[in-house]
Amino acid sequence: MTDTRALKADIATAGDLDAPDRSLWRRLEPTILGISGVAILLLLWEVLPRIVTMNAGTKLFFTTPSQIVGTLWRLFATGAIWTPLGVSASGFALGLALAIVVGIPLGVLIGRSRTLNAMLDPFVTAFNATPRLVFLPLVMLWFGLGLWTKVVIVFVGAVFPLLINTYEGVRNADKTLINVVRSFGASEWDVARLVVVPNAMPYIIAGLRLAIGRAVLGVVVAEFFGSESGLGVMMVQAAGRYQVDVMFSGLIVFAALSLAMTALVQMLEARLSRWRPQQAGGE
C-alpha cells in the first residue's frame, strides 16, 4: 500500500512538473499561429508584384507592405498624420465614453425594472434594428461638419451593444444569490452593486468589445461622409489622388486603434474575472 501511494505521488509530481511547459505552449500557440498567418500573407503580398507582370493601370491601384510602412513612417516623421489622428481619436474617445456612461447604467435599470423595460424596449429594439448610416444626414443637419457629428454617430453605434448586453447580464443574474442578499436586509442599490453588476460583468465586457468595433466604424463613416478633418477625410482625399499607400496607412492606424482598445478590454476582463471560480474540468 505504501509503495502504491508513493508511486501515485511520483506520478502527480511529474504531472505538475510537465504542466507549466504545456500551459506555456497553449498560451503562446494562438499568438504564434496568428503572427505566422499575418507574416505569410504579408510575404505573399510583397512578393506577388515582383513575380507577376502587371500593366500600368493595375500598378496605379496597387501597393505593397514595404511601401505602406515607408508611407506610415513618413507621415509620422513629418507630423502630417498627427492632426487628423487627434481629430479621429477625440471623436472616438468622446463618443465611446458617452456610450459607456449611458449604456451600462441604463442597461442595469432596464434589467432591474419591468416598468422601464416595458416602456423603453420598443425604442431600443427599433433604434438597434435601424442602420446607423441613416442617422448621418440628420446628425449633419443638426451638428454640422465638425467634431460633434462624429461623437453622435460613434455614440449611436456603440451605446446599443453595451445597453443590450448589460440588460441580458442583469436579467441572467443569480436569483438565489439575490434573495440571499435581500434576506440580510440589503437595499436595491446593494443588490445591484454586490450581486447584479458583478454577475453581469462578462456580458458588459462582451458588449464593450462590440462597442469598440462599432465606435471605430462610426468614426470612419462620419469622416467619410460628414466631416472636414480626420483620418477618414485623409483617406478620402488620398483616394481622389490615387495614393493607395496613404489609404492603407489610414486603414492600419484605425485597425491599430481598435486592436489597442480591445487589448485594454481583455486586460480589464482578465483582472475582473480573477474572483470567478475555475470551471470543473477546465484547463
Side-chain angles (χ1 to χ4, degrees), residues 256-271:
L257 175 64
S258 180
L259 288 174
M261 292 298 299
T262 302
L264 290 176
V265 172
Q266 289 175 337
M267 293 171 59
L268 177 65
E269 181 180 15
R271 186 176 183 84

Side-chain angles (χ1 to χ4, degrees), residues 194-253:
L194 299 174
V195 179
V196 174
V197 173
N199 275 268
M201 194 55 65
Y203 291 84
I204 295 174
I205 294 297
L208 186 56
R209 295 178 68 173
L210 291 172
I212 289 172
R214 299 285 182 85
V216 174
L217 178 61
V219 170
V220 173
V221 169
E223 291 184 346
F224 275 8
F225 301 103
S227 182
E228 297 177 333
S229 61
L231 279 177
V233 176
M234 185 185 75
M235 293 173 66
V236 172
Q237 293 173 349
R241 296 190 290 263
Y242 304 107
Q243 295 175 327
V244 183
D245 53 343
V246 177
M247 294 175 59
F248 271 102
S249 298
L251 187 152
I252 289 173
V253 173

Side-chain angles (χ1 to χ4, degrees), residues 50-281:
R50 306 178 190 277
I51 62 177
V52 176
T53 302
M54 296 183 180
N55 57 44
T58 303
K59 287 183 178 180
L60 183 63
F61 302 104
F62 199 85
T63 188
T64 60
S66 60
Q67 291 175 331
I68 296 170
V69 171
T71 301
L72 267 174
W73 175 263
R74 175 176 56 81
L75 290 173
F76 279 104
T78 60
I81 199 173
W82 290 114
T83 299
L85 177 58
V87 172
S88 298
S90 299
F92 172 85
L94 287 173
L96 184 61
L98 285 175
I100 292 173
V101 170
V102 173
I104 294 178
L106 188 58
V108 173
L109 290 175
I110 294 176
R112 296 296 297 161
S113 172
R114 293 183 178 180
T115 302
L116 284 177
N117 184 23
M119 291 175 60
L120 298 180
D121 181 70
F123 297 99
V124 174
T125 302
F127 281 110
N128 184 55
T130 304
R132 308 299 184 269
L133 191 60
V134 302
F135 294 107
L136 186 57
L138 188 60
V139 173
M140 290 170 56
L141 181 65
W142 286 346
F143 296 96
L145 301 178
L147 174 64
W148 288 106
T149 294
K150 279 187 283 244
V151 171
V152 173
I153 293 298
V154 169
F155 170 81
V156 171
V159 71
F160 289 104
L162 280 166
L163 192 155
I164 294 172
N165 276 271
T166 302
Y167 167 81
E168 291 296 333
V170 170
R171 298 292 292 177
N172 283 279
D174 191 338
K175 302 298 189 297
T176 302
L177 189 56
I178 292 175
N179 292 332
V180 169
V181 173
R182 280 177 174 167
S183 67
F184 284 94
S187 64
E188 187 65 24
W189 165 252
D190 292 327
V191 170
R193 179 173 58 90
L194 299 174
V195 179
V196 174
V197 173
N199 275 268
M201 194 55 65
Y203 291 84
I204 295 174
I205 294 297
L208 186 56
R209 295 178 68 173
L210 291 172
I212 289 172
R214 299 285 182 85
V216 174
L217 178 61
V219 170
V220 173
V221 169
E223 291 184 346
F224 275 8
F225 301 103
S227 182
E228 297 177 333
S229 61
L231 279 177
V233 176
M234 185 185 75
M235 293 173 66
V236 172
Q237 293 173 349
R241 296 190 290 263
Y242 304 107
Q243 295 175 327
V244 183
D245 53 343
V246 177
M247 294 175 59
F248 271 102
S249 298
L251 187 152
I252 289 173
V253 173
F254 274 124
L257 175 64
S258 180
L259 288 174
M261 292 298 299
T262 302
L264 290 176
V265 172
Q266 289 175 337
M267 293 171 59
L268 177 65
E269 181 180 15
R271 186 176 183 84
L272 294 177
S273 62
R274 288 178 182 176
W275 64 272
R276 289 184 168 274
Q278 294 292 331
Q279 297 292 332

Side-chain angles (χ1 to χ4, degrees), residues 30-47:
T31 303
I32 294 174
L33 292 177
I35 293 175
S36 300
V38 173
I40 292 171
L41 176 62
L42 293 177
L43 181 62
L44 291 174
W45 186 1
E46 184 71 34
V47 171

